[in-house]
Amino acid sequence: TMIEVREGVDALDRELVSLLVRRQAYMSAAARIKGSREAVYDAERIEDVVSKVLVEAARLGLSAEIAEPVWRELITQCIAFEFKKFDEIRS
């Protein structure tokens, strides 16, 4: 039923939030570790992450049309968060 579908989506959203909290903690750690603000944005690393995600998405059956834009936006927001943390730590 639609109620069951929505309950399933809500449950998955809670799991995704939990995973994103873990990812955010890594961004905080990266902000502490990186020695310069210029190191926060790494175009080569972005493409590496997206490439790995697309391989895993294909392996598990997630559409690349969902995976790639979702991860690119996630990366964009994580970089913005990391810049903010980097600046907070050093202010």
Side-chain angles (χ1 to χ4, degrees):
T1 69
M2 205 56 222
I3 291 172
E4 293 169 324
V5 168
R6 287 178 178 160
E7 287 172 352
V9 168
D10 291 347
L12 287 172
D13 285 345
R14 288 189 296 275
E15 289 181 51
L16 288 169
V17 169
S18 177
L19 291 171
L20 289 171
V21 166
R22 289 175 50 196
R23 195 178 204 285
Q24 179 179 280
Y26 283 112
M27 298 304 96
S28 293
R32 285 191 309 273
I33 293 167
K34 290 180 180 175
S36 71
R37 198 169 196 278
E38 292 75 31
V40 172
Y41 182 88
D42 183 344
E44 188 175 317
R45 174 65 178 150
I46 292 168
E47 295 311 312
D48 180 53
V49 169
V50 171
S51 175
K52 290 173 184 173
V53 164
L54 290 174
V55 168
E56 188 68 359
R59 186 179 78 79
L60 295 176
L62 175 62
S63 165
E65 289 79 13
I66 292 174
E68 185 166 358
V70 167
W71 256 268
R72 287 195 184 277
E73 183 62 25
L74 175 61
I75 291 166
T76 296
Q77 296 305 318
C78 285
I79 290 168
F81 176 83
E82 190 178 330
F83 271 123
K84 182 179 174 189
K85 285 294 180 184
F86 186 93
D87 291 343
E88 286 174 1
I89 290 166
R90 286 155 182 82
S91 64

